Amino acid sequence: MSTDLKSTPRFQQPQERRDFLGLAAAWSAIATVFLALLGALRLPAPWAFPESSRRVKLGPVSAFKGISITPEPKERLWVFSDDKGLYVISAVCTHLGCVVAKQEDGSFFCPCHGSRFDTEGKVTKGPAPKPLLHLELSVSADGQLVVDHDKEVGSDVRLKV
Ligand code: FES
């Protein structure tokens, strides 16, 4: 009588456990791919990253008219008033985005890498590659001065008030 060793319980593979682990791995992979695709589909949708409005009310126009310089540190800009009207210069350095400081002579200085800008925001010393931004101003229906951080205007543009 011959005994087939492979048919003895000792040499039989635990088929049920292997099947379970294989199925668990397969379902985990499927779930991972499904969730990754779901996340990837959500990325371009506007509701995944809602845009905040970049138009900001600064206050009543009368609070700025006739006042030569009004700092708005929360918005990182200055509002200027001259005989032609109102204008805004951004305080964000065009090099790497540090906030520039206004000097006593009216020029601007960036403490991060030493860029300097004249009173109109033009670069007088690098490494800043571009002048400070002049941003668009408007007046809202309720008489508030509104700055649009997304709209750059020329340095000679004034809001007549
Ligand atoms: S961030 Fe202003 S000079 Fe570099």
Side-chain angles (χ1 to χ4, degrees), residues 31-64:
T32 300
V33 168
F34 175 75
L35 291 174
L37 285 176
L38 204 62
L41 289 175
R42 285 182 51 133
L43 284 178
W47 42 265
F49 295 108
E51 289 246 338
S52 61
S53 173
R54 303 266 294 153
R55 289 174 50 87
V56 178
K57 288 183 177 178
L58 299 175
V61 173
S62 58
F64 301 95

Side-chain angles (χ1 to χ4, degrees), residues 1 6 35 135:
M1 177 174 154
K6 290 189 175 179
L35 291 174
L135 302 172

Side-chain angles (χ1 to χ4, degrees), residues 88-132:
V88 157
I89 297 180
S90 170
V92 178
C93 180
T94 54
H95 180 224
L96 292 177
C98 289
V99 175
V100 299
K102 190 142 181 58
Q103 305 294 286
E104 297 221 349
D105 64 357
S107 65
F108 303 91
F109 170 71
C110 181
C112 291
H113 308 102
S115 287
R116 291 186 180 276
F117 307 85
D118 68 10
T119 55
E120 286 293 311
K122 294 185 183 95
V123 179
T124 55
K125 179 179 174 285
K130 296 190 325 184
L132 297 174

